[in-house]
Amino acid sequence: MNTSTVADKIIALEKHAMREWLNGDPSAFLNIYSQDYTYFDPSLEWKLEGFDKIKAIYDSIRGMIKEESFEILNPSVQVYGEMAVLAYNLHIHTGDKCWKENVTEVYRNEESGDWKIIHSHFSMTQPK
Amino acid sequence: MNTSTVADKIIALEKHAMREWLNGDPSAFLNIYSQDYTYFDPSLEWKLEGFDKIKAIYDSIRGMIKEESFEILNPSVQVYGEMAVLAYNLHIHTGDKCWKENVTEVYRNEESGDWKIIHSHFSMTQPK
């Protein structure tokens, strides 16, 4: 696959998983996390390591998130060999509220041919 | 280089650049940013793209940062081919204050053999 094809595929995977996530279902994200997954969330004191830990957190909030819509803005996909770094501004809309986050997702093309996320960094956008 | 050697090298590059950065000198970081560098900072409304833009920001604050000490805690380095994802909890100490950040740095081994950072994501650690 060439770079633009990989970028399209990565963004499609992300959009699908985010749509499910913001509708209360973490399964689509869990399906594309690697076993050696690492994770930053602004609400956690420490970096989290390992698929089992993120699965436990996601399972504990299954069905609890319901947002109306979201936008993946300003996306970039830096593709090198079997790795692709997706970064974007995420705007989540519910009613007249807009919640803004910065998102980094590092994808790796596994031996199976599937793209999996090996590292995520979510943070709040807080311009001065 | 094997994985642990790469990890040691990446962490050493990061520590050196961070030491200089927290002493007011952004040059060590600028020296290891790629031309296609992308960047998230919590104080920016949008993701930043391109070496020239980060250089302009860093040059504008040269000499203005003076912190006493820092710790790179809980680091992980996920190495695949020419790519390495460094993630860590950063604690910055000045007086009796401790400033906590989550840091992701995606490194790429360039054709020259040098490791360069292609993407950074800094955010504030804000446990509930």
Side-chain angles (χ1 to χ4, degrees), chain A:
Chain A
M1 281 196 280
N2 65 33
T3 296
S4 64
T5 309
V6 170
D8 290 346
K9 185 175 180 63
I10 295 294
I11 290 172
L13 282 171
E14 186 78 12
K15 274 189 181 163
H16 170 69
M18 187 62 72
R19 190 174 298 117
E20 299 296 306
W21 167 251
L22 294 176
N23 195 35
D25 187 357
S27 298
F29 266 130
L30 289 172
N31 285 342
I32 56 171
Y33 288 161
S34 68
Q35 284 300 308
D36 63 339
Y37 180 73
T38 61
Y39 175 66
F40 278 126
D41 181 290
S43 70
L44 300 176
E45 175 79 26
W46 297 104
K47 173 165 57 72
L48 177 151
E49 293 188 23
F51 178 81
D52 292 345
K53 290 190 186 155
I54 190 70
K55 184 173 188 304
I57 291 175
Y58 279 14
D59 282 343
S60 75
I61 56 174
R62 192 176 284 272
M64 294 170 67
I65 296 172
K66 293 282 173 192
E67 307 289 350
E68 285 173 9
S69 66
F70 69 96
E71 295 172 280
I72 287 181
L73 297 167
N74 202 18
S76 55
V77 186
Q78 293 163 281
V79 182
Y80 304 99
E82 302 308 301
M83 305 283 286
V85 182
L86 168 65
Y88 60 96
N89 294 99
L90 173 66
H91 288 192
I92 300 168
H93 305 279
T94 293
D96 58 359
K97 287 186 184 165
C98 180
W99 176 262
K100 299 180 181 180
E101 294 194 27
N102 300 336
V103 182
T104 299
E105 303 273 36
V106 183
Y107 281 78
R108 178 182 64 208
N109 199 359
E110 308 261 285
E111 286 184 21
S112 63
D114 295 333
W115 286 91
K116 297 266 185 171
I117 300 173
I118 65 164
H119 175 75
S120 302
H121 191 148
F122 288 82
S123 67
M124 285 173 276
T125 307
Q126 297 170 309
K128 282 170 185 162

Side-chain angles (χ1 to χ4, degrees), chain B residues 3 6-8 10-11 75-79 84-87:
Chain B
T3 296
V6 170
D8 290 346
I10 294 295
I11 291 172
S76 54
V77 186
Q78 293 164 281
V79 182
V85 182
L86 168 64

